[in-house]
Amino acid sequence: ASDVYKRQVAVQAPDDAVLSAILRARFSERSITPAEEVIDYLVRRLDRSGDTAATVVERLDALHRPVTRVLARQVLDAMDAG
């Protein structure tokens, strides 16, 4: 039997700077450069998780429209409703 040690590490929710960096990275992967106000808007309103950030960026990209604060609000409203 092998000795395998399991360590539990508490993962904290990302702060504003980390969430902002996650959003920028996800947008960059899709060659999208949103205005700074869009990033700020999303940081203030998103759940604190990388998965949520990735989902929002994916949904914004799927609309094939310029990413604006208004569009971001529409996507977040739709996510809240669904």
Side-chain angles (χ1 to χ4, degrees):
S2 65
D3 291 324
V4 177
Y5 296 96
K6 294 183 181 180
R7 185 190 337 184
Q8 292 184 351
V9 177
V11 177
Q12 295 180 351
D15 63 14
D16 287 0
V18 173
L19 187 57
S20 179
I22 291 169
L23 285 164
R24 281 182 183 41
R26 296 296 168 256
F27 279 121
S28 179
E29 289 168 358
R30 295 169 180 268
S31 300
I32 299 171
T33 308
E36 191 63 33
E37 71 171 6
V38 174
I39 299 291
D40 292 344
Y41 178 84
L42 291 171
V43 165
R44 288 191 309 270
R45 287 167 178 78
L46 282 182
D47 290 339
R48 298 290 169 175
S49 81
D51 289 343
T52 301
T55 299
V56 167
V57 171
E58 179 181 320
R59 291 183 181 193
L60 285 165
D61 187 29
L63 296 172
H64 303 289
R65 292 170 45 196
V67 176
T68 63
R69 191 186 62 73
V70 172
L71 188 62
R73 180 177 49 81
Q74 291 171 353
V75 167
L76 292 181
D77 287 349
M79 287 175 66
D80 287 343

